[in-house]
Amino acid sequence: RDTRTLLYAGRLLPFKGVSLAIEALSRLHGWRLIICGKGPDEKRLRRIAEGLSIRDRLEFRGWVDRDELARIMRDEADVFVFPSLHDQAPLVVAEATAIGLPVVSLDRGGAPLLGARPVETRSHARTVAALARAVQEAYGSGPGMFSGRDEQGRRLRSLLVERGLLERTPEE
């Protein structure tokens, strides 16, 4: 693909940090952002995208079921972004890393423990810039540490398949 794809999935609430992902997108030429989720922050997020003149690179898909999200992760996304300011055990990060999708998060909450590449949270502008850099680096370096290529990743993937949260592949 000519355009690389960034993916966010979750509720659209201010503390989820989706506005940071949208601002980072404005610094990522050749990228688009798919947002899967609904919530009261959607109107504000759309206004931010309009103000940054990147509305044409942003797609709001609303809430999607787990199977469709896994398909999007496998078939459409290049990097998963999880810029939440407060989430202790984000299952969606475990799902993305188990599929082999590189994940970038903030250095808050449990996302880094589930395989996300953490970005240091500093001033607003520095955090946005660091998030954009981390997305580029994650894209260039491939899947994260729990990508299924290492033993811990294989165990995480196996657990998610066993619980019905990920589909079994033909090799499993």
Side-chain angles (χ1 to χ4, degrees):
R1 296 186 309 253
D2 291 336
T3 302
R4 292 173 299 282
T5 301
L6 193 56
L7 173 64
Y8 169 82
R11 297 258 310 143
L12 302 182
L13 301 167
F15 74 85
K16 293 288 190 170
V18 182
S19 61
L20 296 170
I22 292 171
E23 289 182 59
L25 178 68
S26 72
R27 297 169 175 249
L28 293 165
H29 302 289
W31 284 80
R32 70 186 183 119
L33 171 61
I34 296 172
I35 297 175
C36 295
K38 286 188 166 260
D41 205 26
E42 185 173 339
K43 285 182 183 177
R44 183 180 73 92
L45 297 172
R46 288 180 184 273
R47 282 194 309 271
I48 290 168
E50 288 290 335
L52 294 170
S53 300
I54 58 168
R55 181 62 189 99
D56 61 324
R57 296 194 291 137
L58 187 63
E59 183 180 348
F60 286 87
R61 293 198 182 169
W63 202 256
V64 299
D65 66 35
R66 195 166 236 100
D67 290 341
E68 175 61 5
L69 181 58
R71 186 204 63 74
I72 294 167
M73 286 179 177
R74 281 190 312 272
D75 299 342
E76 296 184 55
D78 295 300
V79 175
F80 188 84
V81 63
F82 194 78
S84 180
L85 299 165
H86 177 74
D87 269 293
Q88 296 309 311
L91 182 59
V92 70
V93 170
E95 292 169 328
T97 56
I99 283 174
L101 186 61
V103 179
V104 173
S105 74
L106 300 184
D107 60 353
R108 309 245 172 154
L113 297 173
L114 295 170
R117 293 170 168 88
V119 167
E120 186 177 2
T121 308
R122 305 188 95 196
S123 71
H124 182 87
R126 287 175 128 180
T127 301
V128 168
L131 196 58
R133 268 192 315 277
V135 165
Q136 292 283 29
E137 291 167 5
Y139 176 73
S141 64
M145 64 181 166
F146 297 144
S147 66
R149 295 188 302 187
D150 61 12
E151 183 58 31
Q152 193 168 6
R154 285 189 287 279
R155 287 195 316 246
L156 175 59
R157 178 163 178 76
S158 176
L159 178 64
L160 292 172
V161 168
E162 179 183 305
R163 301 278 190 239
L165 298 172
L166 285 180
E167 289 184 24
R168 213 173 278 287
T169 62
E171 300 86 42
E172 293 177 303

